[in-house]
Amino acid sequence: PYYLANGAGILLLNKSNQPRKEGVKLKISFNQDTSLATDEIMVSIKAAHLNTKVTRLLELLDQLDKQKETLPIVIDDQVNLIPCYQIVALEVLGEQVTIHTITQDYQLHGQLKNVLAKLDATKFVRISRSAALNLDYLKLLEPSFSGNMVARMQNNLKLIISRKYLPDLKHHLGL
């Protein structure tokens, strides 16, 4: 069976192979191929021509292939593996990066950009020179001083969003 995605989720085609809702343009199908190794996935994209949507899809697939499920960090000569889905936000002060998770905070020496490079760029968005957040934990945005915004996370952490990074955040949110 075919599934269609229109930004509001994935929809099934009706019995006549027509989309249940209008405006759906992406057809997704799964074909089992036993000749592939168990850890191998082959993705093929077909389109009338290469456009920005196809390019974006290729970028997302590439990011998905590179993303890791855990973030290894070294603290006191021990390697800690933090599940990426538990990371709420990251902040930096000087050379200290604080990783806020749903259970605790971790501090390590380094740069924010280096930590962000190891995380899923579709979920983790930079919101200032000193902070980034996980979109999965964003609760609300509210206005602040001088055109900045405040991001309130599900764990009640508040983060300042600078005007420079606000357009990129809005883009990731589909606004």
Side-chain angles (χ1 to χ4, degrees), residues 145-158:
F145 302 105
S146 67
N148 290 340
M149 299 283 285
V150 173
R152 190 171 303 180
M153 308 304 285
Q154 289 179 10
N155 65 349
N156 291 320
L157 177 68
K158 292 181 182 179

Side-chain angles (χ1 to χ4, degrees), residues 12-81:
L12 282 170
L13 294 176
N14 64 20
K15 291 180 182 177
S16 305
N17 272 347
Q18 298 299 315
R20 291 186 180 170
K21 292 193 176 184
E22 295 182 28
V24 178
K25 297 178 183 175
L26 181 64
K27 295 180 182 179
I28 301 171
S29 65
F30 171 78
N31 297 312
Q32 187 171 352
D33 186 345
T34 56
S35 68
L36 296 174
T38 56
D39 62 346
E40 186 178 13
I41 298 173
M42 179 187 291
V43 177
S44 175
I45 298 172
K46 295 180 183 179
H49 61 287
L50 184 65
N51 57 36
T52 56
K53 288 186 179 184
V54 172
T55 304
R56 178 72 177 136
L57 181 58
L58 290 168
E59 290 169 356
L60 289 171
L61 287 169
D62 184 51
Q63 182 67 35
L64 180 65
D65 186 44
K66 291 178 183 175
Q67 85 181 43
K68 298 177 181 176
E69 293 182 18
T70 59
L71 176 67
I73 61 169
V74 178
I75 300 173
D76 298 329
D77 297 327
Q78 291 182 333
V79 177
N80 294 278
L81 299 175

